[in-house]
Amino acid sequence: MVEWVDVFTRNVYKDVLIDSLRYCQKHKGLLLYGWCIMTNHVHLIISSADGFKQEYILRDFKKHTSRQLITMIEGNPQESRKNRMLWLFKEAGKSNSNNKYYQFWQQDNHPLELSGNLLIDQKLSYLHNNPVEAGIVDEPESYLYSSARDYSGRKGFIDIEFIE
């Protein structure tokens, strides 16, 4: 997220990401192992199915969600932060020749190759503990917008591939 804007304090905006992740799973070859939507950023542990490229999946995900979220923010009469958010996105877009108007997501993705079970376990634990560290919940599995629920034996919002 550019400027670490707290867009995802509203569930309706988080739901856009969930719907788009589901679409990418069904149509774009996304394999999702872990996820967590925080107020101003998203963590994903992903790979891609044979014949699909991760960078294309992320490009399409970011392009679609940025357009949809900007439109939702513009049209939301209850969005008290609308002018500030749109101004920040517009300013970020001016400095990036890849954008016409707004830049919602940061340009880079900060990918890490997770090789080995220890590193995978560390990153999954970090991802799931983000809402605890932020003081949102007491236990990772209590946070609705995370795969921690799935790993604790409860059903989450998005089907995942379990890391064994």
Side-chain angles (χ1 to χ4, degrees), residues 76-94:
N76 186 346
Q78 282 86 36
E79 183 55 76
S80 59
R81 308 161 303 153
K82 178 189 316 192
N83 292 336
R84 175 80 175 142
M85 287 193 295
L86 293 174
W87 181 83
L88 287 168
F89 299 146
K90 192 170 202 167
E91 288 300 305
K94 284 180 186 177

Side-chain angles (χ1 to χ4, degrees), residues 49-61:
D50 289 340
F52 294 92
K53 292 192 176 204
Q54 233 174 276
E55 59 267 27
Y56 295 169
I57 296 168
L58 286 175
R59 177 201 63 202
D60 293 350
F61 171 80

Side-chain angles (χ1 to χ4, degrees), residues 126-138:
Y126 171 80
L127 177 151
H128 288 157
N129 279 297
N130 245 223
V132 176
E133 295 295 322
I136 299 170
V137 293
D138 291 333

Side-chain angles (χ1 to χ4, degrees), residues 1 8-9 16 21-22 33 42 45 54 61 79 88-90 96 99 101 106 117-118 120 127 129 142 156 161 163:
M1 178 83 43
F8 303 115
T9 55
V16 167
L21 287 169
R22 285 182 188 137
Y33 300 95
V42 178
I45 297 177
Q54 233 174 276
F61 171 80
E79 183 55 76
L88 287 168
F89 299 146
K90 192 170 202 167
N96 184 338
N99 295 319
Y101 304 107
Q106 290 180 7
N117 290 339
L118 180 61
I120 291 169
L127 177 151
N129 279 297
S142 296
E161 307 286 327
I163 298 173

Side-chain angles (χ1 to χ4, degrees), residues 5-143:
V5 178
D6 283 321
V7 171
F8 303 115
T9 55
R10 302 190 191 283
N11 291 348
V12 65
Y13 300 147
K14 288 185 272 201
D15 292 342
V16 167
L17 299 185
I18 289 172
D19 290 343
S20 187
L21 287 169
R22 285 182 188 137
Y23 180 87
C24 289
Q25 286 176 308
K26 187 172 183 179
H27 300 285
K28 300 211 173 261
L30 174 68
L31 301 175
L32 184 63
Y33 300 95
W35 63 281
C36 183
I37 303 172
M38 296 299 291
T39 61
N40 60 5
H41 65 282
V42 178
H43 293 282
L44 301 173
I45 297 177
I46 65 169
S47 67
S48 55
D50 289 340
F52 294 92
K53 292 192 176 204
Q54 233 174 276
E55 59 267 27
Y56 295 169
I57 296 168
L58 286 175
R59 177 201 63 202
D60 293 350
F61 171 80
K62 288 169 75 172
K63 186 175 182 179
H64 172 75
T65 56
S66 63
R67 285 182 179 165
Q68 192 168 9
L69 289 163
I70 292 291
T71 299
M72 288 179 75
I73 291 167
E74 287 175 327
N76 186 346
Q78 282 86 36
E79 183 55 76
S80 59
R81 308 161 303 153
K82 178 189 316 192
N83 292 336
R84 175 80 175 142
M85 287 193 295
L86 293 174
W87 181 83
L88 287 168
F89 299 146
K90 192 170 202 167
E91 288 300 305
K94 284 180 186 177
S95 62
N96 184 338
S97 61
N98 293 329
N99 295 319
K100 285 187 177 180
Y101 304 107
Y102 298 108
Q103 181 166 338
F104 186 86
W105 297 106
Q106 290 180 7
Q107 196 65 28
D108 53 344
N109 295 316
H110 308 295
L112 296 172
E113 182 177 350
L114 300 181
S115 57
N117 290 339
L118 180 61
L119 187 57
I120 291 169
D121 289 345
Q122 286 174 340
K123 294 304 177 187
L124 191 60
S125 177
Y126 171 80
L127 177 151
H128 288 157
N129 279 297
N130 245 223
V132 176
E133 295 295 322
I136 299 170
V137 293
D138 291 333
E139 300 172 327
E141 59 271 13
S142 296
Y143 189 59

